Amino acid sequence: FLQGKLFDSTVTDEGTWTLEDRKLIRIVLMKTNRDAGNCWTSLLENEYTADPWVQDQMQRKLTLERFQRENPGFDFSGAEISGNYSKGGPDFSSLAK
């Protein structure tokens, strides 16, 4: 069983768990803060750290989701991202539109 403090907060009513094949417990948690810059590095504080490649893929995915929300007229479904995408990627909010 897992013991410890979660890396960050979750939405209590959105958490679920299932028992699969009588041997695997699958737990799904909904993060409270899903911003691209809030990519958890581990499940619990200082425990169960994400694999660096998996962490990189999560940051890429969250950054593309952020770009899609900020630019609803564009299709980012087949987009690739490179460069500065850690912590949610570059902040363009200060640029004039």
Side-chain angles (χ1 to χ4, degrees):
F1 294 108
L2 301 173
Q3 288 187 335
K5 184 176 179 186
L6 287 175
F7 187 82
D8 206 343
S9 62
T10 61
V11 180
T12 306
D13 294 342
E14 295 294 321
T16 61
W17 65 272
T18 57
L19 179 62
E20 298 176 14
D21 298 326
R22 303 180 85 171
K23 61 183 174 184
L24 173 68
I25 298 175
R26 186 173 307 270
I27 302 170
V28 178
L29 302 172
M30 177 67 70
K31 294 177 7 179
T32 302
N33 179 358
R34 287 192 38 92
D35 291 339
N38 184 36
C39 192
W40 292 14
T41 56
S42 62
L43 176 61
L44 302 176
E45 287 183 352
N46 303 313
E47 294 187 59
Y48 306 106
T49 304
D51 176 271
W53 185 84
V54 172
Q55 180 76 17
D56 180 71
Q57 297 305 305
M58 287 189 296
Q59 286 183 336
R60 286 175 188 243
K61 180 179 183 286
L62 290 172
T63 301
L64 283 173
E65 286 177 5
R66 183 194 118 204
F67 288 159
Q68 184 66 58
R69 280 192 312 275
E70 292 174 355
N71 303 282
F74 291 95
D75 179 12
F76 288 92
S77 61
E80 293 283 329
I81 189 167
S82 64
N84 177 19
Y85 54 85
S86 66
K87 298 194 186 317
D91 181 7
F92 299 115
S93 63
S94 63
L95 298 176
K97 291 188 177 198

